[in-house]
Amino acid sequence: MEDKQSPAEYMLSVLHNENASSDDKRWAAEKLAPYIHAKPAPAQRTVQIDLPAADTAEGVKAAFAKLIAATAAGELAPSEATALAGLIECQRKAIEMADVLGRLEELEEAQKGASRVGRRA
């Protein structure tokens, strides 16, 4: 490293050095590999789990409970459960938004009705 080589350059010089021992070359190759070859991403598997319908708040609650139970039983990896939980959370937000919009429309209609009654008086 005294001649200002990068770590990768140093390890390459060890590999190319005819006088380096096989142990030194093995060490250099092992340490150099991550610089040259990236680790492949882990393969994802398809997960099949029988979840309850999540089209209501109770259904979402039941789906989360099923995910937790399947993870605790070792049927799902925690990362798989987390990915599925993200999908169920999107469904929960959609249900919540539909509920909020319905309530807002009811309030607006009630306010319009009160305004009409107030003008007649």
Side-chain angles (χ1 to χ4, degrees):
M1 297 293 226
E2 294 144 8
D3 56 353
K4 300 187 186 205
Q5 289 179 321
S6 71
E9 290 170 329
Y10 172 73
M11 288 179 266
L12 277 172
S13 72
V14 172
L15 285 172
H16 294 297
N17 184 346
E18 294 175 4
N19 298 323
S21 70
S22 60
D23 285 343
D24 288 344
K25 287 184 178 192
R26 189 175 303 114
W27 169 86
E30 180 183 312
K31 298 300 179 185
L32 181 61
Y35 288 98
I36 297 173
H37 301 288
K39 289 184 179 179
Q44 292 188 1
R45 70 180 184 123
T46 301
V47 175
Q48 293 184 355
I49 182 169
D50 187 25
L51 292 176
D55 54 352
T56 65
E58 286 301 314
V60 167
K61 182 179 173 184
F64 275 124
K66 180 82 180 216
L67 276 184
I68 292 167
T71 305
E75 298 167 13
L76 290 176
S79 61
E80 294 166 336
T82 299
L84 290 171
L87 294 174
I88 296 169
E89 177 62 12
C90 288
Q91 177 72 356
R92 183 200 63 79
K93 287 179 181 179
I95 292 168
E96 181 180 48
M97 183 58 69
D99 182 53
V100 168
L101 288 175
R103 290 178 183 192
L104 180 61
E105 289 171 356
E106 288 175 10
L107 288 171
E108 287 174 343
E109 286 299 317
Q111 188 175 13
K112 285 178 187 177
S115 296
R116 284 186 219 128
V117 170
R119 283 188 225 143
R120 290 184 198 153

